[in-house]
């Protein structure tokens, strides 16, 4: 189980790429404005935070989502996400995020022409499309047009590949931002402000205690889940193995069936216990995003359990 000293060391090592730290830092309006303006290359108006780490859904039966930093100004809805795991579902995830943002911010009677621009930004610590570009910007365009014909519907999706080192052609401030995410180098006013904010967060005893309490509870539950899951999985595996062994032949089949059944039983037993842990965390008041981080279950499964 995780000890206090280990947690302290982990807390001190958290960076801007950590989901918890990223959300806290980006709720400094000055920093948030600078990051968004740097990525978009335009000035934005007065920031209004719509939510942070909260659930959103179109209707009670639709899939829920959790957004890291969700805000708007007078002209735009902007969602900014820090992404550290390379998942193939990212393009469709961005599509769904934009759909939910549109509907949840469109009161009845709104004219189509009054829809605000909808911008989704993923700051990735990997190359999301494996093409080597430091930035991928997507708009709807006409495939039949020989010239670039944009739909101009106000939607924009941006994916930053902060892993790449091919950034010499980018704006100097954006280069500094990439370097900071890559290796923590502070060489601009923005990265200095981010670094100072993170230092302040880590020096906050209440913030540190909250993080450590959460981490300890999750570590204890995961440890219990491992022990109980292994025991249950072993029993289930024996039962499955005996059944498969009888079907495959008492001599050769029993040995092979036991091996396969034990593996399946262990996996199923561990999964069932992880689900129980997730349910306990939800009942204790932990947010879905915290449960996902603590158990490794998919967000969709955690939200289903919460329902």
């Amino acid at each position: 189980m995780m000890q206090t000293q280990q947690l302290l060391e982990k807390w001190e090592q958290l960076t801007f790429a950590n989901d918890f730290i990223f959300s806290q830092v980006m709720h400094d309006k000055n920093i948030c404005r600078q990051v968004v303006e740097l990525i978009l290359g335009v000035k934005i108006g007065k920031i209004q935070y719509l939510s942070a780490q909260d659930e959103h859904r179109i209707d009670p039966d639709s899939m829920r989502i959790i957004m890291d930093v969700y805000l708007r100004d007078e002209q735009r809805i902007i969602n900014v996400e820090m992404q550290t795991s390379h998942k193939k579902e990212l393009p469709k995830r961005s599509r769904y995020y934009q759909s939910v943002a549109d509907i949840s911010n469109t009161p009845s009677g709104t004219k189509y022409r009054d829809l605000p621009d909808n911008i989704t930004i993923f700051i990735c610590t990997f190359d999301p499309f494996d093409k080597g570009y430091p930035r991928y910007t997507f708009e709807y365009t006409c495939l039949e047009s020989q010239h670039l014909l944009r739909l101009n519907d106000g939607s924009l999706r941006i994916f930053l590949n902060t892993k790449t080192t091919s950034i010499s052609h980018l704006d100097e401030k954006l280069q500094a931002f990439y370097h900071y995410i890559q290796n923590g180098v502070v060489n601009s006013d923005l990265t200095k402000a981010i670094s100072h904010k993170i230092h302040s967060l880590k020096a906050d005893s209440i913030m540190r205690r909250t993080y450590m309490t959460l981490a300890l509870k999750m570590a204890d539950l995961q440890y219990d889940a491992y022990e109980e899951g292994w025991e249950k999985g072993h029993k289930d595996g024996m039962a499955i193995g005996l059944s498969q062994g009888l079907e495959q032949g008492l001599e050769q089949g029993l040995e092979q069936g036991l091996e396969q059944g034990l593996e399946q039983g262990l996996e199923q037993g561990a999964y069932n216990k992880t689900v129980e842990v997730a349910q306990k965390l939800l009942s204790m008041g932990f947010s879905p995003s915290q449960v996902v981080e603590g158990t490794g279950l998919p967000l969709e499964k955690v939200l289903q359990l919460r329902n």
Side-chain angles (χ1 to χ4, degrees), residues 3-103:
Q3 302 300 316
T4 302
Q5 185 58 39
Q6 291 177 296
L7 284 174
L8 283 171
E9 292 175 358
K10 184 176 179 181
W11 169 250
E12 292 301 328
Q13 292 170 0
L14 294 182
T15 68
F16 187 53
N18 173 266
D19 186 63
F20 174 76
I21 293 293
F22 176 75
S23 181
Q24 294 295 322
V25 171
M26 289 291 283
H27 272 72
D28 180 309
K29 287 189 175 181
N30 179 48
I31 292 176
C32 183
R33 175 185 302 281
Q34 291 186 65
V35 170
V36 173
E37 290 182 345
L38 180 62
I39 295 172
L40 295 182
V42 297
K43 295 290 185 181
I44 63 174
K46 183 179 179 181
I47 290 178
Q48 172 192 352
Y49 289 107
L50 299 176
S51 67
Q53 293 290 333
D54 289 335
E55 296 177 14
H56 303 271
R57 58 180 175 176
I58 297 173
D59 61 60
D61 296 323
S62 65
M63 181 173 65
R64 300 181 182 185
I65 60 174
I66 298 176
M67 300 181 180
D68 286 347
V69 182
Y70 187 35
L71 57 99
R72 70 170 300 163
D73 66 359
E74 293 85 351
Q75 303 175 22
R76 312 168 185 87
I77 301 168
I78 304 172
N79 173 34
V80 189
E81 300 285 322
M82 176 62 73
Q83 190 71 25
T84 58
S85 57
H86 198 337
K87 297 181 179 180
K88 294 182 179 180
E89 65 182 19
L90 201 55
K92 288 191 175 180
R93 179 180 163 195
S94 68
R95 162 187 156 189
Y96 190 74
Y97 274 31
Q98 286 199 322
S99 299
V100 173
D102 267 336
I103 294 177

Side-chain angles (χ1 to χ4, degrees), residues 1-217:
M1 289 183 288
M2 192 172 295
Q3 302 300 316
T4 302
Q5 185 58 39
Q6 291 177 296
L7 284 174
L8 283 171
E9 292 175 358
K10 184 176 179 181
W11 169 250
E12 292 301 328
Q13 292 170 0
L14 294 182
T15 68
F16 187 53
N18 173 266
D19 186 63
F20 174 76
I21 293 293
F22 176 75
S23 181
Q24 294 295 322
V25 171
M26 289 291 283
H27 272 72
D28 180 309
K29 287 189 175 181
N30 179 48
I31 292 176
C32 183
R33 175 185 302 281
Q34 291 186 65
V35 170
V36 173
E37 290 182 345
L38 180 62
I39 295 172
L40 295 182
V42 297
K43 295 290 185 181
I44 63 174
K46 183 179 179 181
I47 290 178
Q48 172 192 352
Y49 289 107
L50 299 176
S51 67
Q53 293 290 333
D54 289 335
E55 296 177 14
H56 303 271
R57 58 180 175 176
I58 297 173
D59 61 60
D61 296 323
S62 65
M63 181 173 65
R64 300 181 182 185
I65 60 174
I66 298 176
M67 300 181 180
D68 286 347
V69 182
Y70 187 35
L71 57 99
R72 70 170 300 163
D73 66 359
E74 293 85 351
Q75 303 175 22
R76 312 168 185 87
I77 301 168
I78 304 172
N79 173 34
V80 189
E81 300 285 322
M82 176 62 73
Q83 190 71 25
T84 58
S85 57
H86 198 337
K87 297 181 179 180
K88 294 182 179 180
E89 65 182 19
L90 201 55
K92 288 191 175 180
R93 179 180 163 195
S94 68
R95 162 187 156 189
Y96 190 74
Y97 274 31
Q98 286 199 322
S99 299
V100 173
D102 267 336
I103 294 177
S104 61
N105 285 278
T106 308
S108 177
T110 301
K111 302 290 185 182
Y112 288 118
R113 62 174 177 268
D114 296 328
L115 285 174
D117 289 351
N118 191 331
I119 301 171
T120 297
I121 300 169
F122 281 91
I123 303 174
C124 303
T125 57
F126 53 89
D127 188 340
F129 301 101
D130 299 316
K131 299 297 182 183
Y133 302 136
R135 173 193 181 109
Y136 300 87
T137 304
F138 293 91
E139 288 183 321
Y140 292 110
T141 59
C142 179
L143 298 179
E144 289 76 15
S145 176
Q146 294 182 354
H147 306 286
L148 186 60
L149 175 60
R150 292 187 174 91
L151 185 59
N152 289 326
D153 65 338
S155 66
L156 183 70
R157 282 178 257 180
I158 298 172
F159 302 80
L160 299 187
N161 166 22
T162 63
K163 180 181 178 180
T164 184
T165 56
S166 303
I167 58 176
S168 58
H169 62 288
L170 299 180
D171 176 86
E172 288 185 3
K173 293 181 179 179
L174 192 55
Q175 288 186 46
F177 184 67
Y178 274 58
H179 285 310
Y180 181 72
I181 295 177
Q182 288 171 356
N183 48 39
V185 173
V186 176
N187 56 7
S188 71
D189 290 340
L190 173 57
T191 57
K192 183 177 180 180
I194 294 173
S195 180
H196 179 74
K197 182 67 176 181
I198 293 175
H199 180 77
S200 298
L201 288 171
K202 290 183 177 180
D204 188 324
S205 60
I206 296 177
M207 190 75 66
R208 182 175 62 251
R209 186 163 57 249
T210 300
Y211 170 82
M212 293 181 65
T213 301
L214 172 63
L216 281 171
K217 287 180 179 178

